[in-house]
Amino acid sequence: YEDLFAVMHDDERRRDMTQRYAACEAALRAGVHTANEYGDRELLLRCLQTLANVYMRTECFDDAVRVTDAAVRVERTPARVRVLLHALQRRIAHVFAHGDFDVDVTEEQTDPARKAQNDELLKLNYQYWIEYQWLRDQPEFDWPAYVARHAHALCQVLIYVGSILSNALLVGPDDKQYNEAVEASDEAVRVAEASGDAELLCVAEAKRVYVRWSRADDTRKRALLVHLEELQARHAPTSSVVTDTAAELREQYDKLTACQRCGATDAEFRCAKCKLARYCSAECQRAAWPRHKQLCKSDERFEQLAVRCQFAALHVWLQTAEALLAIMAALNRGGHGDAVHDEAARARCVVAARVDRAVPRDEHVVGRC
């Protein structure tokens, strides 16, 4: 084992050792077994560290993460945690570069291999976030120097963690996880500011706005949207993340505050019963009532459903349901052929899919909606 340790520090012999890493791996694994058997902690840590170096140099990043994590469990120090973060960072980059995973994690995944890759990516990023939090709080940790070297990779992890934990379709209305998502997105902005990269700052700010959007009231939504659009105008970022996020949230906000009858934005008045439908004037509300009254608090479970669903634009549900009622009325009148039947079937599928994702555990509510 001493010879192996010497080889790792010999630049001329290191390449030859890497080419024969299988034999070195077997020897080091035997060293780990021996150290565990005799309770030799120092030998165990040296074997694990050397084995992790072999895995890193041969791009076996999943094994490197596993071995480094084992070393951290034996002895948690800032230096070992930094090595673990480096291994996690390389593994995450490798999965992004070579993996076949879905960016839209909200979609149903039917391919087991692809789902496994998504699960691994989530686990790696979350483990990085947990270990980074511990390292950040250590007095001897040089945070500015770490950010200067790893700002982009660190921001990528923080943005990913914030996006996942704030997704109500995945984690549900969990306040603890949502607060953790806010903390991760805030930390991403802090890292981007420290790095001095305007492009990175715009991306981090866009993701932070997106995280906070789902639970913000109308006033807060407007403030978040104005802040993002001002940031976009000031820095003119080239990333599509910023422009697409701003456009998507602007569309959501305009639809959320749109009059249910004429479509005017920033409609100030709400239906006094359901608190969902908006109108720009009393005239529009009276004109829309014949259609709206079929849905307006027709069942207490609809109100419960609206409270439980953590979507930013519940008005879309309302508009979809009203459109479906209009289609079904046309069907009852007859004379519209197969096209109307097909449209009704598509509308029913859309509503059913949205309800099923929101409240999969309450069959009665799903059936009513």
Side-chain angles (χ1 to χ4, degrees), residues 22-43:
C24 296
E25 178 192 10
L28 289 166
R29 288 172 66 88
V32 171
H33 177 74
T34 302
N36 281 323
E37 184 177 357
Y38 288 95
D40 191 333
R41 183 179 180 185
E42 181 181 356
L43 177 62

Side-chain angles (χ1 to χ4, degrees), residues 100-361:
D100 181 21
F101 58 91
D102 294 325
V103 175
D104 187 359
V105 294
T106 64
E107 295 296 329
E108 182 180 2
Q109 299 168 15
T110 57
D111 185 355
R114 181 172 295 182
K115 183 178 184 301
Q117 287 180 334
N118 281 329
D119 292 343
E120 181 191 9
L121 193 62
L122 174 58
K123 179 181 177 181
L124 290 169
N125 279 274
Y126 192 72
Q127 184 180 3
Y128 190 110
W129 163 238
I130 296 299
E131 297 294 348
Y132 166 76
Q133 285 180 295
W134 181 89
L135 184 62
R136 179 192 59 190
D137 296 336
Q138 301 308 302
E140 63 271 32
F141 176 56
D142 189 354
W143 186 82
Y146 187 84
V147 169
R149 293 190 59 185
H150 306 286
H152 284 79
L154 180 55
C155 267
Q156 184 183 46
V157 170
L158 296 173
I159 288 171
Y160 183 91
V161 170
S163 300
I164 292 295
L165 294 181
S166 66
N167 193 321
L169 292 174
L170 297 178
V171 302
D174 190 316
D175 291 337
K176 181 179 179 181
Q177 291 190 353
Y178 174 77
N179 293 335
E180 193 171 1
V182 171
E183 182 183 357
S185 61
D186 288 344
E187 184 69 13
V189 172
R190 177 170 171 252
V191 170
E193 289 176 343
S195 70
D197 189 328
E199 185 80 11
L200 188 62
L201 176 61
C202 289
V203 173
E205 283 281 13
K207 289 300 183 179
R208 178 164 71 169
V209 168
Y210 200 87
V211 167
R212 293 175 178 271
W213 183 268
S214 62
R215 297 198 179 188
D217 56 21
D218 293 349
T219 303
R220 181 60 177 159
K221 278 186 169 68
R222 183 175 183 80
L224 290 171
L225 184 58
V226 169
H227 169 70
L228 182 58
E229 290 175 341
E230 289 178 350
L231 191 72
Q232 185 180 4
R234 183 164 61 252
H235 295 288
T238 58
S239 173
S240 61
V241 173
V242 183
T243 55
D244 291 350
T245 301
E248 179 184 350
L249 297 185
R250 168 56 68 181
E251 182 181 4
Q252 285 188 20
Y253 180 79
D254 288 344
K255 288 182 177 180
L256 180 65
T257 61
C259 176
Q260 293 289 314
R261 181 174 179 271
C262 68
T265 58
D266 286 328
E268 299 180 2
F269 305 102
R270 293 176 182 264
C271 173
K273 291 185 178 180
C274 68
K275 309 295 184 184
L276 295 176
R278 288 174 175 265
Y279 304 98
C280 61
S281 64
E283 290 75 13
C284 280
Q285 184 173 6
R286 283 194 293 269
W289 176 246
R291 289 183 62 191
H292 178 63
K293 68 179 180 180
Q294 300 177 66
L295 286 175
C296 184
K297 211 171 184 180
S298 58
D299 196 310
E300 290 295 329
R301 297 182 187 86
F302 184 83
E303 183 180 10
Q304 296 172 8
L305 178 66
V307 172
R308 291 173 59 189
C309 297
Q310 299 298 315
F311 294 120
L314 285 174
H315 67 284
V316 176
W317 288 48
L318 196 61
Q319 292 172 342
T320 304
E322 289 181 341
L324 180 58
L325 285 176
I327 292 170
M328 298 309 295
L331 280 173
N332 292 334
R333 290 195 298 271
H336 290 271
D338 294 336
V340 178
H341 285 276
D342 293 341
E343 185 66 26
R346 282 195 294 271
R348 283 196 297 272
C349 288
V350 169
V351 174
R354 287 175 176 170
V355 175
D356 184 59
R357 287 181 181 180
V359 282
R361 293 179 294 276

